[in-house]
């Protein structure tokens, strides 16, 4: 009996000591798309994309407009055309549309690759910056606003502006 009491006594002591509640963690969030769009590096990346692909995008816009005008003219005049002219014009429009779509697809692929490269350059230093901001503001967890699954979160928990400010202040080597 004495052994049982000696065995149970430490557990009873543990139960009688006040249990300290875990400190509730403070959370925050960062909108990474906003970091990309509003940071200096993000604006530089947008300018780079415009310089690199702007002319080709304008050319494609002109080509699209030309095809639309050709289609409108065809639709207006097709009642007056012979079967042979009709077939020839239809084939011509179809071929131009096909080439146009191939050019658009190629440009979109190149733009997407360049965007990914530039976005990775912007996002590379951000985890360390987010960690520093979280530590400074005593935040236990930081979520990505758009991918977190949170349906509502107080705007006061937004760390995005501070992350952008620190990212802009950081000297990064140009690549």
């Amino acid at each position: 009996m004495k052994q049982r009491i000696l065995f149970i006594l430490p557990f009873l002591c543990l139960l009688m000591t006040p249990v300290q509640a875990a400190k509730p963690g403070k959370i925050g969030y960062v909108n990474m798309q906003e970091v990309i769009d509003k940071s200096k590096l993000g604006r530089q990346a947008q300018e780079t994309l415009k310089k690199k692909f702007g002319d080709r995008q304008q050319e494609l816009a002109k080509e699209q407009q030309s095809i639309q005008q050709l289609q409108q003219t065809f639709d207006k005049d097709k009642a007056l055309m012979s079967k042979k002219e009709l077939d020839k014009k239809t084939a011509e429009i179809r071929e131009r549309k096909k080439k146009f779509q191939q050019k658009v697809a190629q440009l979109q692929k190149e733009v997407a690759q360049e965007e990914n490269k530039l976005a990775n350059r912007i996002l590379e230093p951000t985890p360390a910056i987010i960690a520093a901001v979280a530590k400074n503001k005593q935040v236990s967890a930081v979520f990505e606003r758009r991918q977190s699954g949170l349906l509502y979160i107080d705007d006061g928990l937004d760390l995005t502006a501070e992350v952008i400010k620190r990212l802009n202040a950081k000297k990064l080597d140009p690549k």
Side-chain angles (χ1 to χ4, degrees):
M1 180 79 168
K2 236 182 189 184
Q3 287 177 329
R4 254 190 194 173
I5 292 175
L6 288 176
F7 182 72
I8 296 175
L9 191 60
F11 292 109
L12 288 174
C13 288
L14 284 175
L15 290 174
M16 294 191 325
T17 58
V19 177
Q20 224 179 17
K23 203 165 55 170
K26 186 175 171 187
I27 64 167
Y29 68 90
V30 174
N31 183 336
M32 292 305 291
Q33 187 61 51
E34 190 174 329
V35 170
I36 291 171
D37 292 342
K38 293 185 178 179
S39 67
K40 284 181 186 176
L41 285 175
R43 290 191 302 270
Q44 288 172 356
Q46 290 169 359
E47 287 300 315
T48 300
L49 289 172
K50 283 180 188 175
K51 286 177 185 174
K52 191 168 186 174
F53 299 107
D55 292 341
R56 286 175 56 193
Q57 287 174 332
Q58 287 178 351
E59 287 174 25
L60 287 174
K62 287 178 184 176
E63 176 68 17
Q64 182 178 24
Q65 191 174 25
S66 173
I67 292 171
Q68 287 174 343
Q69 288 174 344
L70 185 62
Q71 182 69 50
Q72 289 171 352
T73 303
F74 172 73
D75 290 342
K76 186 172 60 173
D77 296 342
K78 70 181 175 183
L80 305 172
M81 293 181 175
S82 68
K83 172 78 169 132
K84 187 176 180 181
E85 289 176 319
L86 199 64
D87 291 343
K88 183 180 175 186
K89 208 59 151 163
T90 302
E92 178 188 342
I93 292 172
R94 188 179 314 122
E95 185 62 29
R96 282 189 67 182
K97 284 181 179 180
K98 181 180 174 185
K99 286 182 181 178
F100 173 76
Q101 289 171 346
Q102 289 171 343
K103 288 178 185 178
V104 168
Q106 179 63 32
L107 181 63
Q108 287 174 337
K109 181 181 174 185
E110 290 175 31
V111 169
Q113 288 173 343
E114 190 68 20
E115 281 177 338
N116 285 338
K117 186 173 100 177
L118 293 171
N120 286 336
R121 183 169 167 246
I122 296 166
L123 296 176
E124 187 178 313
T126 55
I129 292 171
I130 291 170
V133 170
K135 206 175 255 187
N136 186 36
K137 299 212 180 230
Q138 298 177 338
V139 173
S140 302
V142 178
F143 295 95
E144 203 296 320
R145 174 68 173 126
R146 297 171 52 158
Q147 296 177 357
S148 65
L150 296 172
L151 299 175
Y152 171 79
I153 190 164
D154 185 359
D155 288 339
L157 302 172
D158 188 358
L159 305 174
T160 307
E162 182 68 22
V163 170
I164 292 171
K165 180 179 160 188
R166 289 189 185 198
L167 182 62
N168 288 344
K170 190 171 182 75
K171 298 290 182 202
L172 300 171
D173 60 85
K175 291 182 183 177

